[in-house]
Amino acid sequence: MLKRIKRIFSDSFSLIQGLAVTAKYLFKPAVTMQYPTERWTPPARYRGRVALRPKKCVSCQMCARACPNYSLEVKFSLGEDKKRKLNGFIYHLDTCLFCGLCVEPCPTAAIFMNQEYELAVYQRQKLVMDLTEADKNVE
């Protein structure tokens, strides 16, 4: 009989301790972000999708050589003055690892990782993009 009474008191004490923890968090503000209305701000060194500054690109193809998955294609033509002119910069987002290895060898800092994190699409064809067309407003 005495064991039963001790067990009832110990179980009740455990229950009160658990409810105290619950009550402590019940009146604190929520930590959950309300996604469509609130957007997450990524950290400064976040690696999102690859972006291009077309005016800075000298078509050296160092980024395409550094990419382990061959996600970048640099298309260029030689001008009358024997300088390369950028015609297209094809980026395959579906095979990109977001590793940032393509950014490091660029001598003019024409390619960089932007802060985009909402990259979902409905058609796979939209994951292959020409960055000379997509990033014209980037300086």
Side-chain angles (χ1 to χ4, degrees):
M1 182 74 171
L2 190 60
K3 281 186 179 180
R4 252 191 214 173
I5 294 173
K6 283 184 181 179
R7 187 168 177 196
I8 290 172
F9 280 121
S10 68
D11 290 348
S12 299
F13 182 70
S14 296
L15 180 66
I16 290 171
Q17 279 183 325
L19 288 174
V21 170
T22 304
K24 182 172 81 172
Y25 288 103
L26 183 65
F27 299 107
K28 286 189 176 182
V31 180
T32 306
M33 183 179 300
Q34 302 301 318
Y35 171 65
T37 55
E38 295 178 30
R39 301 284 179 181
W40 175 62
T41 304
R45 293 179 52 101
Y46 177 78
R47 291 186 297 219
R49 145 180 110 71
V50 170
L52 177 73
R53 296 179 187 100
K55 292 179 183 176
K56 285 188 165 188
C57 185
V58 292
S59 305
C60 65
Q61 295 186 330
M62 293 296 289
C63 54
R65 290 186 204 137
C67 182
N69 279 358
Y70 307 106
S71 297
L72 301 173
E73 297 175 36
V74 181
K75 296 182 180 183
F76 64 92
S77 62
L78 290 175
E80 297 169 1
D81 54 353
K82 302 288 185 200
K83 289 189 177 181
R84 294 180 181 187
K85 181 181 179 240
L86 183 66
N87 290 340
F89 196 97
I90 310 300
Y91 173 51
H92 297 272
L93 181 63
D94 54 346
T95 59
C96 184
L97 294 174
F98 303 100
C99 61
L101 292 175
C102 57
V103 175
E104 294 175 18
C106 185
T108 60
I111 188 171
F112 63 97
M113 306 292 276
N114 66 11
Q115 299 284 309
E116 288 183 33
Y117 60 89
E118 296 170 327
L119 302 173
V121 293
Y122 285 109
Q123 287 108 14
R124 194 173 188 145
Q125 295 83 12
K126 291 184 180 179
L127 294 175
V128 178
M129 56 188 85
D130 188 356
L131 295 183
T132 56
E133 304 294 325
D135 296 332
K136 280 193 175 180
N137 56 357
V138 176
E139 287 300 320

